[in-house]
């Protein structure tokens, strides 16, 4: 290679690396009508300054022109769904199948679901019980695939997972395989009545060993006795809890156990898409009858849960095929059905959920030093909670993935 050419390549490389350095050094300024910080505070007419992947400042009197002027938009922290099944999808025939397709199809459906979830303003997802979430999680983390941060349980434990010793070994293997959380089935599904399925000893082995390995636990439990057994076994988070009564709601509050009720998305989605599920596994008429009844039971349960003092409610949807991208409906239904205050519902979906993931020092709050996960919603969610379903701007870790005009914002006279 001639000397001149080497030199010009060197100059080009130097120039491009300088551009990267320069670009990283330049802050991005996002101005909005309101900034909800995720802990309950609102700053009106504010500018968020982002450097690299992190929030540098929240200014109210900055004079520098904004990079993005989002007008009437309110900015909230990137929303978090602590229970969504990114791998669930309808197949080519439009129907759900309990048998996976070929691996290429499966991972691409997961990538599609991850994308629509991110576009809906969810920048972090916990996805229980899907082995290929590991590759999905790692691809998104490399920054090449658009999607929320993914936390995965890889597999799940249930009453067929063996003796307490075998269960402890399985937990250790999960740790080795890179699981972020251990998913445990303490009860049957609501389609089968929700009774406790794992023994107390199995639950103690699962949650005790997870704790010893530094892994969090999330437990599928519907009936009061299965919730009680899980809490007493030292498990950290209860999922669903359709039949949770006052006693176990108080027990969870007293023990500081996170509760993840799913009242606004999953059953509604099943019923809306009944024809696509019916005939597969326990998706039979009796199962759908249970789910139909579950709507009213959930509505009564969430009112009691919201009213339980000190109960740590996180935001999870249990989103399955058909529900991805509708995650924020859960927040709206919390307010509608559960009488939760809109601000409390937002805090639940951001800083409280971040804390449940042990990520409260990095995500879920808009403050200097946190990851720049910022979501612009059209309207003021403190007075109109449905604004969280109208997402017009999405930034994750300092990168903009979505920026559209609010519906109805046509021209300068609007
Ligand atoms: Zn689930």
């Amino acid at each position: 290679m001639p000397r001149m050419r080497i030199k010009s390549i060197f100059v080009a490389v130097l120039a491009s690396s300088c551009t990267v350095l320069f670009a990283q050094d330049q802050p991005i300024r996002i101005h909005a009508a309101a900034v909800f910080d995720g802990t309950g505070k609102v700053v009106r007419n504010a500018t968020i300054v982002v450097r690299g992947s992190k929030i540098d400042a929240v200014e109210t009197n900055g004079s520098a022109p904004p990079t993005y002027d989002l007008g009437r938009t309110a900015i909230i922290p990137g929303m978090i769904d602590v229970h969504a099944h990114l791998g669930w999808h309808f197949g080519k025939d439009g129907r759900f199948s309990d048998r996976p397709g070929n691996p290429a199809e499966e991972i691409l459906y997961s990538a599609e679901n991850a994308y629509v979830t991110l576009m809906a303003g969810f920048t972090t997802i916990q996805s229980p019980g899907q082995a290929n979430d590991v590759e999905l999680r790692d691809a998104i983390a490399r920054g090449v695939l658009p999607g929320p941060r993914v936390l995965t349980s890889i597999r799940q434990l249930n009453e067929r997972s063996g003796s307490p010793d075998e269960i402890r070994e399985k937990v250790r293997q999960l740790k080795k395989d890179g699981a972020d959380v251990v998913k445990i089935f303490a009860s049957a599904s609501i389609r089968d009545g929700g009774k406790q399925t794992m023994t107390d000893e199995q639950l103690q082995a699962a949650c005790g060993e997870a704790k010893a390995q530094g892994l969090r636990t999330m437990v599928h439990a519907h009936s009061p006795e299965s919730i009680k057994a899980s809490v007493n076994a030292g498990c950290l988070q209860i999922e669903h809890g359709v039949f949770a009564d006052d006693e176990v709601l108080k027990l969870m509050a007293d023990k500081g156990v996170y509760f993840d009720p799913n009242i606004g998305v999953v059953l509604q989605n099943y019923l809306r898409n009944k024809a696509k599920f019916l005939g597969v596994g326990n998706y039979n008429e009796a199962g759908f009858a249970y789910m139909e009844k579950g709507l009213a039971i959930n509505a009564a349960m969430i009112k009691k849960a919201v009213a339980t003092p000190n109960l740590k409610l996180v935001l999870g949807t249990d989103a399955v095929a058909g529900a991805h991208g509708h995650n924020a409906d859960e927040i709206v239904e919390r307010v509608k059905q559960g009488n939760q205050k809109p601000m409390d519902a937002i805090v639940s979906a951001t800083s409280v959920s971040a804390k449940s993931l042990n990520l409260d020092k990095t995500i879920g709050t808009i403050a200097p030093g946190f990851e720049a996960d910022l979501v612009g919603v059209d309207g003021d969610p403190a007075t109109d909670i449905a604004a969280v379903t109208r997402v017009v701007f999405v930034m994750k870790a300092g990168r903009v993935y979505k920026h559209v005009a609010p519906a109805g914002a046509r021209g300068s006279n609007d």
Side-chain angles (χ1 to χ4, degrees):
M1 192 181 276
R3 198 187 163 85
M4 265 295 282
R5 186 146 157 66
I6 291 171
K7 195 173 162 193
S8 62
I9 287 171
F10 175 73
V11 170
V13 168
L14 189 69
S16 67
S17 62
C18 284
T19 312
V20 170
L21 281 176
F22 182 69
Q24 278 177 347
D25 222 29
Q26 284 290 63
I28 299 175
R29 293 172 187 276
I30 306 147
H31 183 265
V35 172
F36 287 64
D37 80 340
T39 73
K41 293 191 207 81
V42 187
V43 186
R44 302 279 163 191
N45 215 5
T47 300
I48 303 172
V49 184
V50 174
R51 268 181 209 276
S53 71
K54 291 197 162 56
I55 297 164
D56 194 47
V58 181
E59 297 176 344
T60 48
N61 50 8
S63 54
T67 323
Y68 296 92
D69 190 342
L70 300 185
R72 70 190 192 198
T73 298
I75 295 182
I76 62 175
M79 292 179 274
I80 298 170
D81 187 337
V82 302
H83 190 143
H85 298 279
L86 284 176
W88 286 44
H89 61 87
F90 298 124
K92 278 181 247 175
D93 59 357
R95 287 197 21 102
F96 177 69
S97 168
D98 53 359
R99 253 173 263 154
N102 74 54
E105 271 176 3
E106 290 302 307
I107 198 68
L108 281 171
Y109 278 122
S110 289
E112 285 175 29
N113 290 335
Y115 180 74
V116 300
T117 303
L118 180 65
M119 292 300 107
F122 283 76
T123 49
T124 304
I125 290 289
Q126 184 156 255
S127 177
Q130 178 103 10
N132 66 6
D133 282 340
V134 172
E135 284 76 16
L136 181 72
R137 174 190 70 186
D138 296 350
I140 292 171
R142 285 197 299 273
V144 289
L145 185 69
R149 276 180 205 80
V150 175
L151 299 153
T152 174
S153 72
I154 309 178
R155 295 179 289 275
Q156 52 208 10
L157 300 172
N158 58 32
E159 73 276 16
R160 297 180 300 278
S161 295
S163 67
D165 273 344
E166 287 166 322
I167 285 176
R168 279 187 277 268
E169 179 51 37
K170 285 185 170 148
V171 171
R172 289 192 287 271
Q173 192 58 47
L174 281 170
K175 172 80 176 179
K176 282 186 201 132
D177 293 344
D180 301 292
V181 61
V182 180
K183 171 76 189 290
I184 299 156
F185 274 80
S187 88
S189 114
I190 184 179
R191 288 178 296 284
D192 297 314
K195 294 264 174 279
Q196 184 172 342
T197 47
M198 285 176 83
T199 65
D200 292 359
E201 292 71 27
Q202 285 178 311
L203 284 168
Q204 284 153 13
C207 292
E209 187 62 29
K211 195 172 186 186
Q213 297 296 324
L215 286 169
R216 293 176 296 107
T217 39
M218 58 193 297
V219 185
H220 164 114
H222 280 301
S223 65
E225 84 273 15
S226 64
I227 295 172
K228 203 189 281 185
S230 304
V231 172
N232 289 335
C235 307
L236 301 182
Q237 181 167 309
I238 302 296
E239 312 299 307
H240 320 307
V242 171
F243 303 112
D245 57 16
D246 290 332
E247 186 197 347
V248 295
L249 289 168
K250 187 173 181 306
L251 178 68
M252 286 188 274
D254 289 347
K255 296 277 168 111
V257 169
Y258 291 98
F259 183 38
D260 172 26
N262 320 118
I263 57 99
V265 172
V266 63
L267 294 184
Q268 290 85 345
N269 177 74
Y270 275 132
L271 295 167
R272 199 164 49 234
N273 292 295
K274 181 175 174 181
K276 299 177 180 177
F277 286 99
L278 195 64
V280 180
N282 64 1
Y283 297 102
N284 48 36
E285 287 294 352
F288 272 92
Y290 261 117
M291 293 200 281
E292 193 105 37
K293 282 189 208 135
L295 290 176
I297 302 170
N298 261 340
M301 178 273 287
I302 192 63
K303 281 187 190 71
K304 287 190 283 182
V306 167
T308 303
N310 304 318
L311 179 58
K312 297 195 282 188
L313 285 172
V314 290
L315 199 284
T317 59
D318 200 12
V320 293
H324 302 290
H326 301 284
N327 314 61
D329 291 354
E330 188 76 30
I331 302 173
V332 177
E333 293 301 318
R334 274 275 185 87
V335 174
K336 269 198 203 164
Q337 297 183 42
N339 301 326
Q340 192 168 32
K341 290 190 191 110
M343 183 61 89
D344 291 347
I346 294 165
V347 170
S348 169
T350 55
S351 64
V352 178
S353 289
K355 178 105 178 137
S356 78
L357 304 174
N358 278 343
L359 293 175
D360 54 311
K361 299 282 187 283
T362 49
I363 61 168
T365 298
I366 297 179
F370 280 79
E371 286 292 293
D373 288 3
L374 307 173
V375 168
V377 300
D378 181 22
D380 184 340
T383 52
D384 170 20
I385 193 61
V388 297
T389 64
R390 300 190 296 268
V391 170
V392 296
F393 182 85
V394 177
M395 170 182 268
K396 192 189 100 189
R399 246 168 95 173
V400 176
Y401 289 90
K402 182 179 188 178
H403 180 209
V404 297
R410 308 256 185 274
S412 55
N413 296 339
D414 195 311

